[in-house]
């Protein structure tokens, strides 16, 4: 027997002038497995929202649908005011240049140095910069994550925490309006994880970004999120601040805080 | 039942490879052209394969000459040795052995590299960075493999013939100019041309299979290993099938 969730998803306001992501009634299935079922979400400008759910609950699928790496079966996704499903490749690339994505596995290009990894999005999105400006930008974001000295290192020479910081620097290099974090602390020890969570918060404030954080690490979520959305059974089961959800007696919500 | 399942899998995979190849032709010749990456891949796939191709070619020429000599002596035809080795290397052994070495080195390397990029989300990261990963990774590698293998075959043939020249001189004395004059007197356009054309198809097969296997890799590191392995196996088998078709076509066209 489960108690009612805090807020039913249908009550979430989906039209907002300052919203940067609006998702309405999203469905995604893989064969017989439904991972998203009537999921809705709104992310407002400057807000950090965490999507909390068990492994395999569809959190990563959700952000891949938002960024256009996967197509949802049904529902609508508006990213920075544009309907993702109606964009052609060029428009999709243009909108992707305004967002950053920190992958769970960091996704640093093994064959490139740290500098080349950071320059890659600048070159590919045709950002007009002289090579001196490009160098300065690379060093600026590396300094912000505390790794300016690693500029000429290869990804294989970096520790797990350093890789995560470099991956974060790569997401920041285009001055994104929104950053997607896919399990940012997975595979890191608690101390390094805490450092990364702190850095996410600091960088959000410094670069004035909104963030959608996918995680099941409660420490990370507590440190980084203004609002938490609980993705349970493919739907937005409950939402609220960390403190609000912690006090909730619904067993499905409570299990994450035990 | 087991046979029909295997047959089904074979047909499914053949269909998938055909669709992948179609996608290559649809996307490969439209802008944006990845010229810098194509040149980088030509360097990696071509130049860096040369030492291995050269070494195997040299040994192949030397060994072939030493193995053929006793048979030709018994027929009193030792003087035909350069011509016979030359024809064998240029028409068949050079392209096929070079292509097989190429499949082992480049096919596995492409399969493993793209497979590893797939499972570590590097391909997704590339897409998010405004890059079409199919064009950047697949088109450039397939084109580089297609363009570089014929060059390697020509160089491999030359090194192989030099190995043969040394092989001839182990038990006898033949001048460099006489050896190569005998080789080229025995060869004609119809020996070079089909061998060169089929080398392009061998290179394309190695490139497209390596990329297909890597791009569709799954199941973590185990899947990467499997991609690399099956890239070599499938492209090696394809090389022999293309060779079989090539010999039939050249026969029909009167090149044999």
């Amino acid at each position: 027997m489960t108690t009612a969730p805090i807020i039913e998803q249908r009550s979430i306001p989906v039209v907002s002038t300052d919203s940067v992501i609006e998702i309405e009634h999203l469905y995604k299935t893989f064969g017989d497995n439904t991972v998203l079922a009537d999921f809705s979400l709104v992310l407002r400008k400057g807000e950090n929202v965490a999507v909390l759910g068990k492994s395999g609950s569809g959190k990563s699928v959700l952000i891949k649908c938002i960024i256009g790496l996967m197509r949802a079966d049904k529902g609508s996704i508006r990213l920075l005011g544009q309907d993702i499903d109606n964009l052609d490749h060029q428009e999709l690339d243009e909108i992707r240049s305004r967002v950053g994505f920190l992958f769970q596995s960091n996704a640093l290009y093994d064959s490139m140095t740290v500098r080349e990894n950071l320059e890659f999005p600048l070159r590919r999105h045709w950002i007009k910069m002289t090579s001196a400006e490009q160098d300065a930008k690379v060093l600026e974001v590396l300094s912000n994550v505390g790794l300016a000295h690693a500029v000429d290192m290869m990804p294989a020479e970096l520790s797990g925490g350093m890789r995560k910081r470099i991956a974060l620097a790569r997401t920041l290099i285009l001055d994104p309006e929104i950053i997607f974090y896919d399990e940012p602390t997975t595979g890191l020890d608690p101390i390094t994880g805490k450092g990364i969570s702190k850095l996410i918060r600091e960088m959000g404030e410094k670069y004035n970004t909104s963030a959608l954080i996918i995680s099941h690490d409660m420490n990370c979520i507590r440190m980084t999120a203004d609002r938490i959305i609980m993705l349970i059974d493919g739907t937005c089961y409950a939402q609220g601040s960390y403190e609000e959800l912690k006090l909730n007696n619904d067993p499905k919500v409570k299990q994450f805080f035990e | 039942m087991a046979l029909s399942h295997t047959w089904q899998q074979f047909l499914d995979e053949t269909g998938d490879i055909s669709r992948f190849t179609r996608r290559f032709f649809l996307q490969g010749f439209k802008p944006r052209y990845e010229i810098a990456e194509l040149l980088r891949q030509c360097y990696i796939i071509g130049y860096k394969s040369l030492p291995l191709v050269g070494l195997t070619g040299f040994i192949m020429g030397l060994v072939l000459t030493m193995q053929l000599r006793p048979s030709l002596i018994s027929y009193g035809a030792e003087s035909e040795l350069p011509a016979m080795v030359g024809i064998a290397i240029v028409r068949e052994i050079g392209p096929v052995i070079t292509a097989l070495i190429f499949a082992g080195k480049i096919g596995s390397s492409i399969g493993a590299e793209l497979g590893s990029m797939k499972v570590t989300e590097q391909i997704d990261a590339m897409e998010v960075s405004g890059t079409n990963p199919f064009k950047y990774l697949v088109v450039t590698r397939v084109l580089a493999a297609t363009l570089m293998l014929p060059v390697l075959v020509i160089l491999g043939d030359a090194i192989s013939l030099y190995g043969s020249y040394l092989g001839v001189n182990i038990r006898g004395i033949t001048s460099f100019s006489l050896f190569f004059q005998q080789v080229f007197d025995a060869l004609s356009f119809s020996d070079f041309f089909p061998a060169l054309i089929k080398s392009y198809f061998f290179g394309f097969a190695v490139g497209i299979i390596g990329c297909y296997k890597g791009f569709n890799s799954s199941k973590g590191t185990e899947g990467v290993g499997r991609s690399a392995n099956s890239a070599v196996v499938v492209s090696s088998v394809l090389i022999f099938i293309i060779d079989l078709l090539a010999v039939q076509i050249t026969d029909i066209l009167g090149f044999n």
Side-chain angles (χ1 to χ4, degrees), chain A:
Chain A
M1 188 74 185
T2 58
T3 55
I6 293 172
I7 299 171
E8 286 286 351
Q9 62 178 74
R10 286 172 191 80
S11 68
I12 298 167
V14 291
V15 180
S16 167
T17 50
D18 65 346
S19 59
V20 286
I21 299 175
E22 294 167 10
I23 298 173
E24 287 182 283
H25 312 299
L26 203 69
Y27 286 81
K28 179 72 184 172
T29 56
F30 294 97
D32 296 334
N33 183 24
T34 301
V35 290
L36 296 173
D38 202 15
F39 182 87
S40 299
L41 173 153
V42 172
L43 177 69
R44 295 180 191 88
K45 197 170 166 43
E47 189 183 27
N48 285 359
V49 170
V51 178
L52 175 64
K54 290 180 188 170
S55 296
S57 60
K59 306 186 296 296
S60 297
V61 170
L62 171 67
I63 46 174
K64 286 187 177 176
C65 286
I66 299 173
I67 200 79
L69 288 173
M70 272 183 193
R71 283 186 86 88
D73 300 332
K74 219 166 86 178
S76 78
I77 300 169
R78 289 182 70 78
L79 176 61
L80 293 166
Q82 297 195 55
D83 193 338
I84 283 292
D85 285 336
N86 295 333
L87 300 180
D88 62 25
H89 274 292
Q90 204 176 338
E91 290 167 331
L92 202 54
D93 282 347
E94 195 276 323
I95 206 162
R96 280 172 177 164
S97 70
R98 297 165 63 193
V99 304
F101 198 125
L102 182 70
F103 287 87
Q104 186 175 353
S105 58
N106 306 321
L108 295 177
Y109 307 122
D110 297 328
S111 58
M112 299 182 194
T113 62
V114 167
R115 181 194 300 277
E116 288 164 342
N117 262 283
L118 267 62
E119 286 173 350
F120 192 83
L122 293 175
R123 283 192 283 116
R124 304 305 300 187
H125 282 300
W126 306 102
I127 305 294
K128 286 193 179 95
M129 272 186 178
T130 63
S131 102
E133 285 169 339
Q134 202 164 289
D135 274 356
K137 185 71 188 169
V138 166
L139 286 174
E140 179 206 316
V141 290
L142 280 177
S143 302
N144 284 335
V145 299
L147 284 175
H149 62 280
V151 66
D152 291 317
M153 291 170 84
M154 297 298 288
E157 298 173 279
L158 306 170
S159 69
M162 287 168 85
R163 283 182 193 209
K164 194 64 81 180
R165 283 168 183 265
I166 298 293
L168 178 56
R170 191 174 62 182
T171 66
L172 295 170
I173 199 139
L174 293 172
D175 294 322
E177 292 168 52
I178 310 168
I179 303 183
F180 296 91
Y181 295 95
D182 188 3
E183 306 278 8
T185 54
T186 296
L188 301 176
D189 63 81
I191 298 165
T192 310
K194 197 174 167 186
I196 294 293
S197 303
K198 195 165 164 251
L199 198 60
I200 289 172
R201 192 85 218 180
E202 285 171 3
M203 291 302 105
E205 284 162 11
K206 188 176 173 83
Y207 285 83
N208 193 27
T209 59
S210 310
L212 191 65
I213 304 147
I214 301 295
S215 185
H216 51 225
D217 175 355
M218 294 309 291
N219 281 327
C220 170
I221 285 176
R222 183 173 50 79
M223 288 177 71
T224 55
D226 304 318
R227 181 162 58 100
I228 301 170
I229 288 175
M230 308 211 67
L231 176 58
I232 299 173
D233 302 329
T235 192
C236 175
Y237 188 78
Q239 64 173 312
S241 68
Y242 180 88
E243 285 71 24
E244 284 168 351
L245 290 174
K246 197 177 177 184
L247 294 172
N248 189 269
N249 286 324
D250 186 305
K252 284 186 178 178
V253 175
K254 210 173 169 64
Q255 63 184 333
F256 287 93
F257 295 86
E258 284 169 349

